[in-house]
Amino acid sequence: MGVSANKAKETLKNLPLCKRVAGMIGMAKGGQLTPAAGKMLFDLASKMKNGNVPEETLEIVVQFMVVGEISTQEQAGAAEKLLNRISSPVSGAEVMTECGVGASVSADEINQVIDSLFEANRAELAVKQHGAKGGLIQAVRKIPSMKWASGKMVTELLNEKFTNEFGVEDKKAMKQKQKEEREQLKKASKMADKMKSEEEARLQQSDGAAAEDQVVTPWDVQGGEDGVDYAKLIEQFGCEYIFQEQIQRIEKVTQMKAHRFLRRGIFFSQKDFDVILDCAEKKQSFYLYTGRGPSSASMHLGHLVPFLFTKYLQEAFKVPLVIQMTDDEKFLFKSDLEMDHVRECLRENAKDIIALGFDPEMTFMFSDLDYITGGHGQPFYKNILEVQKRCNLNTAQKVFGFGPDHNIGQISFASIQASPSFPTSFPHMLPAGSRCLIPCAIDQDPYFRMTRDIAPRMKCHKPSLIHSKFFPAMTGSQSKMSSSTASPTTIFLTDNPEQIATKIKQYAFSGAAKSLAEHRDKGANLEVDVAYQYLRFFLEDDDKLASIGEAYSTGKMMTGEVKQQLVSVLQELVAEFQKKRAAVTEADVDYFMSVAKFNNQPERAVNQTTSGDGMAGLHEYLARHNLEGAMDEAANHVAKTQPADPMKALSEYFAKLAKR
């Protein structure tokens, strides 16, 4: 297919892409596939983001590529845009128009345009010569008749024209000339106050535009060159920093040392956190709400951050917790995921979460799909409808950036993630007036910004939030760690010690200088050094972290030494996790998802004349001990998991219930 061996090897790790490529080859219907056409099909498959692309239209595009009627990068780019935009089929004639099928621009036609532009701009070209080439290429592309001209041919013909007019380009001389021009502009700007102020305004505007380039949504995080600008997010999302006084209040009311995530500013932002602290001090009811979108069979280090902090909050404040498993979200937002796979990931991720040590008697974990459809989730679904009724499409588009290519499930999902913020969604475990605290990464704030806006109109309390910074990708702080199972730079909780060591040593971005001498002189930049940043997340000892930071930032400690410190910390952490994870059973998952365990109602007096006789007595006995719900859940557990030894599975399940 014209794809390099290395690229093909990497692609084999991406099953959805392999399936997409295979499907497109099948659409070729036996046509001769040249390397150029194969490469174009592969590139198209890699760039397709539309999970609802009509098969009929895709087949038309594929066949045009195979026969060479879509052959230039310009035509392929137009085809990509078309397929990523549409959700219903378009005709072959429309494809031809949109993609320039049959359009051909000859070298003579391109040369005519180049000659006319040269004549029109000859005075400027005489001064700039080869330096004007980039601008002239853009001018050619803007002419309507040149829309489908080969970009490669345009560049080659322009190079030929410039060489004929001005001789062979002397790149060294051109760089020197450009440098001299910059110096002249610099001197001129210093001579005039007006020019200076205009330059400062221009630079300010440029800086602002660069900051705006960062993208932080619930589905995508891309920072600027210096990483994510958290100060800008606080302003943009209407948050406040966590104050030292609030951390002191936590320690006072809980009689526990603040978690390292608080001490080190990893959880750094909040909304109405004082309201929760007031509740804690007054012994008033509140609960915690967090969640997980199950898209991979194993969680990674970054996923641990909100759960470790939530576990600390549950232990410190001794409060109930709800954990939402958004199987519906992953099915709706990930075009390559099928529901059966998501459901398998949910059970595996649930075991990961349980292994962290949450209190099973005060924790309710639920699948959106199961809770809504399983009979107990009617109050939850009622709140979903209340949110949907009060959030119009205009609001959803403003908050989340939804457009015509998003499916209606994606648009409505916000109401499902909002609804656990209201205690009436869980009447089996929470008083109706309970306050809600949501620990989450700051990219989830848009969901709860919408929720807080709607809550007063539902006559409900606004949820409080406490936000974390992102766990950075191994390759740098511009993005967060990926969940992709094909990523060699992601540390999963299933990795063995050798895999952890290899990933850290090979891929962790270093903040040290390029040369040993420069590092000895200047030290490392701790803000961008991934190994040090990971230690901030997972090394508990504050004094040891400070010692490493001081030695590394002053050049007394080498990158390899810091990475080895991190390897030791992570190997121990993951090994301990895996030991606890191995002990978690399917019955444990069912128990965490059990509604029946919260039904500890006082036993009622039984009419002795009926309790022991016939079916009436049996029903009374079952109701008094809440056995019907327990047996239903046990039967559902066996039906779902189909264990090799069903009696053993039932025994494990009932053993959990016996601990109530």
Side-chain angles (χ1 to χ4, degrees):
M1 290 186 69
V3 179
S4 69
N6 286 339
K7 188 70 175 176
K9 186 177 180 181
E10 285 299 312
T11 302
L12 289 174
K13 301 175 184 178
N14 188 337
L15 184 58
L17 177 57
C18 290
K19 289 182 178 178
R20 203 177 303 137
V21 172
M24 291 169 69
I25 292 174
M27 292 176 180
K29 295 185 176 177
Q32 184 63 37
L33 195 64
T34 65
K39 178 67 165 57
M40 191 169 286
L41 285 178
F42 179 84
D43 289 343
L44 179 64
S46 301
K47 295 174 182 177
M48 279 179 55
K49 299 177 181 177
N50 182 2
N52 300 313
V53 61
E55 293 289 319
E56 307 96 305
T57 307
L58 177 59
E59 185 172 338
I60 293 170
V61 170
V62 168
Q63 291 179 7
F64 278 137
M65 287 185 172
V66 171
V67 300
E69 293 190 23
I70 293 179
S71 59
T72 68
Q73 291 300 317
E74 290 70 29
Q75 291 171 322
E80 175 201 332
K81 289 179 181 178
L82 172 67
L83 293 173
N84 279 327
R85 187 182 74 240
I86 61 174
S87 56
S88 55
V90 300
S91 67
E94 288 177 276
V95 172
M96 293 178 70
T97 301
E98 289 277 347
C99 302
V101 175
S104 176
V105 183
S106 67
D108 288 341
E109 291 172 315
I110 296 172
N111 274 327
Q112 288 177 8
V113 170
I114 291 173
D115 290 341
S116 65
L117 287 172
F118 254 78
E119 289 305 317
N121 300 279
R122 189 163 289 280
E124 181 183 354
L125 291 171
V127 175
K128 294 185 176 180
Q129 297 191 10
H130 285 280
K133 195 182 297 180
L136 208 63
I137 289 175
Q138 293 180 8
V140 172
R141 304 301 307 174
K142 287 180 181 178
I143 294 174
S145 62
M146 294 291 105
K147 180 178 181 179
W148 303 115
S150 164
K152 182 180 179 182
M153 187 182 295
V154 169
T155 301
E156 289 174 349
L157 293 174
L158 264 173
N159 284 336
E160 184 180 337
K161 180 71 173 179
F162 272 89
T163 300
N164 291 338
E165 291 282 338
F166 307 116
V168 177
E169 181 180 2
D170 185 341
K171 293 185 177 180
K172 186 175 180 180
M174 176 170 289
K175 285 183 178 179
Q176 181 61 32
K177 185 177 180 181
Q178 290 173 340
K179 183 178 179 181
E180 291 172 356
E181 288 175 352
R182 286 196 297 270
E183 289 297 325
Q184 290 174 0
L185 287 172
K186 202 176 197 181
K187 291 177 183 178
S189 67
K190 289 180 180 179
M191 291 174 61
D193 288 340
K194 182 179 178 181
M195 290 180 67
K196 182 179 179 181
S197 62
E198 289 175 349
E199 179 69 6
E200 289 174 346
R202 185 187 69 77
L203 289 172
Q204 236 179 9
Q205 185 178 7
S206 174
D207 288 342
E212 290 175 3
D213 285 342
Q214 80 172 7
V215 175
V216 176
T217 72
W219 316 285
D220 187 23
V221 175
Q222 296 296 330
E225 285 187 14
D226 298 325
V228 176
D229 185 343
Y230 290 104
K232 183 174 181 64
L233 287 181
I234 280 189
E235 179 182 352
Q236 180 183 341
F237 290 171
C239 312
E240 292 183 328
Y241 284 104
I242 295 174
F243 303 112
Q244 188 61 37
E245 293 83 354
Q246 291 173 316
I247 296 176
Q248 291 169 355
R249 287 181 72 187
I250 293 173
E251 292 182 327
K252 183 177 180 181
V253 74
T254 64
Q255 296 297 298
M256 288 176 63
K257 183 180 181 180
H259 195 279
R260 62 179 180 272
F261 291 168
L262 284 171
R263 304 195 304 267
R264 298 170 188 171
I266 291 170
F267 271 82
F268 73 108
S269 164
Q270 51 90 17
K271 290 182 178 178
D272 283 348
F273 189 41
D274 279 327
V275 172
I276 296 298
L277 294 177
D278 290 343
C279 288
E281 289 168 348
K282 297 174 183 177
K283 310 294 185 187
Q284 294 175 345
S285 173
F286 74 92
Y287 68 102
L288 305 170
Y289 158 37
T290 192
R292 162 78 181 132
S295 61
S296 58
S298 171
M299 289 165 47
H300 61 59
L301 285 180
H303 295 140
L304 285 184
V305 174
F307 286 110
L308 289 175
F309 189 66
T310 301
K311 178 176 179 288
Y312 154 76
L313 291 174
Q314 186 182 53
E315 290 178 349
F317 290 105
K318 298 176 176 57
V319 291
L321 163 66
V322 296
I323 302 175
Q324 181 183 38
M325 304 295 282
T326 56
D327 41 6
D328 47 354
E329 176 205 14
K330 292 306 175 184
F331 176 71
L332 292 168
F333 281 86
K334 297 276 189 178
S335 60
D336 57 338
L337 292 184
E338 297 299 330
M339 182 58 80
D340 288 346
H341 176 69
V342 175
R343 299 281 288 172
E344 290 172 6
C345 292
L346 184 149
R347 299 289 292 189
E348 295 305 310
N349 289 181
K351 292 176 184 176
D352 291 342
I353 295 166
I354 291 168
L356 297 176
F358 291 100
D359 184 345
E361 306 306 324
M362 299 184 70
T363 303
F364 177 53
M365 184 188 301
F366 65 98
S367 143
D368 283 340
L369 185 61
D370 288 344
Y371 193 45
I372 292 172
T373 62
H376 296 293
Q378 290 181 0
F380 179 51
Y381 186 57
K382 178 177 178 294
N383 281 332
I384 292 170
L385 294 177
E386 294 281 0
V387 174
Q388 289 176 348
K389 187 173 183 178
R390 289 165 176 80
C391 180
N392 58 38
L393 181 60
N394 185 48
T395 299
Q397 288 173 327
K398 283 183 178 179
V399 174
F400 300 103
F402 290 132
D405 292 336
H406 288 87
N407 63 58
I408 58 175
Q410 292 171 335
I411 296 170
S412 65
F413 174 74
S415 63
I416 300 175
Q417 183 151 328
S419 294
S421 307
F422 307 119
T424 50
S425 293
F426 311 101
H428 57 276
M429 63 179 292
L430 298 173
S434 298
R435 295 277 188 173
C436 177
L437 173 62
I438 306 171
C440 61
I442 197 167
D443 60 338
Q444 298 299 303
D445 185 80
Y447 281 117
F448 304 114
R449 198 158 67 245
M450 178 208 72
T451 307
R452 285 168 57 83
D453 180 60
I454 288 172
R457 287 178 271 155
M458 293 175 59
K459 296 186 171 65
C460 294
H461 295 309
K462 293 182 179 182
S464 300
L465 288 97
I466 183 165
H467 302 119
S468 74
K469 295 178 179 177
F470 303 116
F471 188 71
M474 191 89 76
T475 51
S477 58
Q478 287 86 1
S479 60
K480 62 181 182 178
M481 183 169 274
S482 168
S483 294
S484 170
T485 54
S487 173
T489 62
T490 297
I491 298 179
F492 290 96
L493 300 180
T494 51
D495 283 353
N496 61 42
E498 292 75 21
Q499 288 173 316
I500 293 171
T502 299
K503 290 178 179 181
I504 293 295
K505 292 175 181 178
Q506 287 189 4
Y507 299 111
F509 182 81
S510 172
K514 293 182 179 179
S515 70
L516 179 59
E518 187 179 356
H519 176 66
R520 293 288 192 194
D521 180 45
K522 297 180 179 178
N525 181 349
L526 301 183
E527 293 301 315
V528 300
D529 189 273
V530 167
Y532 179 77
Q533 289 301 316
Y534 282 15
L535 285 171
R536 290 186 70 243
F537 278 85
F538 293 117
L539 177 60
E540 178 62 34
D541 190 325
D542 290 336
D543 293 336
K544 187 172 182 179
L545 179 68
S547 175
I548 292 171
E550 193 279 332
Y552 194 30
S553 64
T554 56
K556 299 171 187 173
M557 195 173 190
M558 299 295 103
T559 298
E561 296 175 277
V562 177
K563 287 186 176 182
Q564 187 54 52
Q565 291 279 351
L566 175 63
V567 167
S568 299
V569 169
L570 294 185
Q571 285 177 338
E572 182 180 350
L573 181 148
V574 173
E576 182 64 22
F577 167 82
Q578 290 173 355
K579 180 180 177 182
K580 294 177 179 177
R581 170 65 162 77
V584 179
T585 67
E586 289 292 335
D588 290 323
V589 176
D590 287 336
Y591 191 74
F592 267 83
M593 293 185 170
S594 167
V595 172
K597 69 183 179 186
F598 294 101
N599 295 331
N600 289 327
Q601 299 172 349
E603 291 188 358
R604 295 169 293 168
V606 179
N607 185 330
Q608 297 296 324
T609 62
T610 61
S611 62
D613 300 323
M615 291 302 296
L618 174 62
H619 285 306
E620 182 65 37
Y621 178 80
L622 293 175
R624 179 157 56 95
H625 294 283
N626 193 36
L627 291 175
E628 286 183 327
M631 288 190 290
D632 283 346
E633 289 192 12
N636 286 335
H637 162 66
V638 172
K640 272 191 236 175
T641 58
Q642 298 185 1
D645 187 347
M647 295 305 295
K648 181 180 178 182
L650 285 171
S651 175
E652 289 176 347
Y653 179 81
F654 281 116
K656 284 292 179 184
L657 287 180
K659 293 179 182 178
R660 290 187 305 180

